[in-house]
Amino acid sequence: MRFFKYITFLALLSGLNACDSFLDVGVPKDEIAAELAFSDNKTATASVTGVYGRMNQLNYQFANVLSMILPAMQADEFTYAFVSAAYEEYKNNAVLPSNQFLNTLWTQPYEYIAQVNMCIEGLEESTALSPDVKSQLLGEAKFLRAFCYFYLVNNFGGVPLIVGTNVNENNTKGRSPETEVYAQIIADLKDAKESLFAGYPQGVEVNTAGGERIRPNKAAASALLARAYLYTNQSALAEAEATAVINNTTYKLMPTDDIGKVFLKNSEEAIWQIQAINTANGRNTWEGFLIIPANLVTGTPLFRLIPNHLYDAFESGDARDENWVGKITTAAGVTHKYPHKYKARFAVTPVAEYTMVLRLAEQYLIRAEARYNQQNYGGAEADINAIRSRADLDGLALNNDKDAVRMALEQERRVELFAEWGHRWYDLRRWPSVTGQAGKTRADDILPALKPSWKADAIYLPLPETAVASNPNLNKDF
């Protein structure tokens, strides 16, 4: 049986009234029969692009601040300035199934997956769309499904793999092993790469030269595919995908003098961003609104870099420390540091920043790690030094020293990608321990000194109690 008879555009398109880039595709005002939703280019485009609006409409969502602050606290990046029981569970890596944020990290990706599954089914059945629009939209939908599953599998391990619209099957599906989830992620991204165009779409126009970088294109699929290959130890494939993006002249590392502009909307380094939706009072990103103190001189940063960890991780002269770390000194002489990659909290009109999801610097670091894994230590060093040079640091001469290259790679990923989509946390939980102990991770090496109650099984979050209560099959072995 079909999961839907009607697509509710009030849900799919909520929050897009302030989003001019999506409005030009035409917004239906009520429910439209599924057969009509994909009967022309405009309504089909609205069906898919509506997902982006839902992803970034409100604060404390999976697709904005929660995927920034929670894994940063699980790792060794920053902590919350005040007492919060919910945050303390992440800080102490002792998250309970009842945690208020846990359910959001679970349910929202599955909501988006359900929507894109509807879209994939509708697009595949439609014979009314122009071939280019149909191809682009199918690529976007499969990219989004892969994107959601990437974070589900990295947060929870094995998860239900839902790729259809049969509600009875979906509601009782058990967990699939991580290997199967990654296989689906990679299959979807390979399909997406074939379907998407090189340019960024504008409304129903695809493969355009001037579109904003707010809908995935072929390079975005390659970028996420490179990461998925890296995470599944397919290093040669990861290197190839990252190289394709690095060699794409659409993207450039911002020069040192402009490093503070990396997170502006449509920056040359941006591969995919999520557009700002709620821009009341000049608000730009939810990340900037949450993180940046109201008063940059005497304000209280809510999220503070942890001393003796990220607080002190930057080398002297690192332009990232100067441009991406905010600093406020109290009357007592205590200096608090906080993430300051986004600069706009309020009163920036027109909007200057979008939420950065994929950017070019990560591709250099993916390729560096992939080369390291293939014992191409000189190639890894070259990519590491490209990132260091942009940060106004001297290049390293590592002389093919395996251990030195590994530590340099870890350092550059730490100070380049901090406070972005959980990179540091996912690195600690996926890298093996330097001790060589079987089953131990880099998290086991680093986190016990910061978190005395650290337990190795904390590299995965528990399933939300509401999910388990509604589907007992989630408790079964897989």
Side-chain angles (χ1 to χ4, degrees):
M1 87 181 243
R2 292 284 293 277
F3 178 69
F4 67 103
K5 182 179 179 181
Y6 294 95
I7 290 181
T8 306
F9 278 88
L10 290 176
L12 281 176
L13 301 169
S14 62
L16 291 185
N17 291 334
C19 183
D20 293 339
S21 297
F22 293 145
L23 280 181
D24 58 5
V25 302
V27 181
K29 294 181 179 179
D30 210 323
E31 292 183 344
I32 294 184
E35 292 74 13
L36 297 179
F38 300 97
S39 62
D40 62 66
N41 290 341
K42 284 188 175 181
T43 53
T45 302
S47 299
V48 175
T49 59
V51 180
Y52 306 124
R54 292 200 70 192
M55 290 172 73
N56 206 31
Q57 181 186 7
L58 301 173
N59 202 355
Y60 285 90
Q61 305 297 288
F62 150 72
N64 51 51
V65 299
L66 289 186
S67 288
M68 171 190 180
I69 62 176
L70 298 180
M73 288 190 285
Q74 288 173 275
D76 56 352
E77 292 190 320
F78 52 79
T79 189
Y80 191 55
F82 301 102
V83 176
S84 164
Y87 284 148
E88 287 293 306
E89 291 177 19
Y90 287 89
K91 171 187 165 186
N92 295 324
N93 298 90
V95 180
L96 297 175
S98 58
N99 185 278
Q100 68 185 81
F101 299 123
L102 188 66
N103 199 53
T104 302
L105 293 178
W106 175 273
T107 59
Q108 286 190 343
Y110 274 116
E111 288 172 4
Y112 308 144
I113 288 167
Q115 290 176 24
V116 297
N117 284 344
M118 294 178 195
C119 289
I120 290 168
E121 193 169 289
L123 289 164
E124 289 177 340
E125 293 179 0
S126 176
T127 59
L129 307 179
S130 66
D132 284 356
V133 169
K134 183 173 183 176
S135 179
Q136 173 70 30
L137 294 179
L138 274 170
E140 290 186 55
K142 290 189 176 183
F143 173 92
L144 285 170
R145 184 165 67 186
F147 175 78
C148 290
Y149 272 121
F150 178 86
Y151 286 95
L152 283 167
V153 77
N154 276 283
N155 284 329
F156 297 99
V159 295
L161 192 54
I162 296 171
V163 294
T165 58
N166 186 309
V167 65
N168 293 326
E169 290 181 4
N170 295 344
N171 286 345
T172 58
K173 184 160 282 191
R175 301 167 75 182
S176 295
E178 289 185 61
T179 53
E180 291 182 14
V181 179
Y182 267 114
Q184 183 64 50
I185 290 168
I186 289 169
D188 274 346
L189 290 173
K190 290 170 69 175
D191 286 349
K193 191 176 74 164
E194 293 301 313
S195 296
L196 293 167
F197 291 93
Y200 287 95
Q202 298 184 77
V204 296
E205 300 297 323
V206 299
N207 202 29
T208 60
E212 292 198 292
R213 302 180 181 199
I214 55 175
R215 289 168 59 186
N217 66 348
K218 189 180 294 290
S222 281
L224 190 54
L225 185 55
R227 192 196 297 173
Y229 280 141
L230 185 72
Y231 276 42
T232 53
N233 300 312
Q234 300 180 75
S235 296
L237 294 172
E239 179 181 3
E241 294 297 335
T243 297
V245 180
I246 290 168
N247 290 344
N248 187 329
T249 57
T250 301
Y251 310 103
K252 297 179 178 65
L253 289 178
M254 301 291 285
T256 303
D257 290 346
D258 290 331
I259 196 170
K261 300 177 182 178
V262 167
F263 293 84
L264 294 180
K265 68 177 184 180
N266 304 311
S267 79
E268 288 188 308
E269 191 163 326
I271 300 170
W272 180 46
Q273 297 175 306
I274 301 179
Q275 186 178 17
I277 300 298
N278 284 337
T279 57
N281 301 314
R283 180 173 52 230
N284 284 214
T285 66
W286 288 111
E287 291 85 353
F289 174 71
L290 177 68
I291 295 289
I292 300 170
N295 187 316
L296 294 179
V297 178
T298 62
T300 298
L302 291 179
F303 296 92
R304 300 170 178 175
L305 273 57
I306 302 173
N308 300 317
H309 291 274
L310 183 58
Y311 186 104
D312 303 293
F314 297 88
E315 296 174 48
S316 176
D318 192 327
R320 294 166 294 199
D321 185 33
E322 179 64 28
N323 288 274
W324 293 353
V325 177
K327 304 170 181 71
I328 290 179
T329 302
T330 67
V334 177
T335 297
H336 296 299
K337 296 183 181 181
Y338 60 94
H340 201 205
K341 288 180 170 179
Y342 298 99
K343 311 300 183 187
R345 186 175 191 271
F346 266 139
V348 176
T349 304
V351 167
E353 296 176 339
Y354 293 158
T355 295
M356 184 74 77
V357 187
L358 297 171
R359 63 184 180 95
L360 184 60
E362 184 201 354
Q363 297 303 302
Y364 278 90
L365 295 170
I366 285 174
R367 189 169 72 175
E369 186 174 345
R371 287 174 166 176
Y372 168 83
N373 291 340
Q374 299 173 87
Q375 300 181 20
N376 178 3
Y377 303 130
E381 178 184 307
D383 284 333
I384 290 168
N385 282 338
I387 299 301
R388 288 179 60 84
S389 176
R390 190 274 290 276
D392 206 22
L393 295 175
D394 292 337
L396 300 172
L398 303 174
N399 301 314
N400 287 321
D401 184 320
K402 176 182 178 181
D403 292 337
V405 173
R406 185 192 62 76
M407 294 306 295
L409 173 64
E410 180 174 328
Q411 167 67 9
E412 289 309 309
R413 287 189 63 88
R414 184 182 193 185
V415 295
E416 178 69 30
L417 301 175
F418 74 94
E420 291 183 55
W421 288 93
H423 284 291
R424 173 65 172 173
W425 170 241
Y426 299 141
D427 287 348
L428 292 179
R429 58 168 298 276
R430 69 186 176 86
W431 285 336
S433 167
V434 297
T435 66
Q437 289 181 272
K440 295 294 185 180
T441 67
R442 194 74 178 110
D444 294 311
D445 295 343
I446 291 173
L447 296 184
L450 176 64
K451 309 177 184 201
S453 60
W454 166 259
K455 295 180 180 179
D457 61 2
I459 58 173
Y460 292 114
L461 292 170
L463 300 189
E465 62 181 8
T466 53
V468 175
S470 64
N471 179 8
N473 289 330
L474 293 176
N475 274 328
K476 294 181 179 179
D477 292 334
F478 56 93

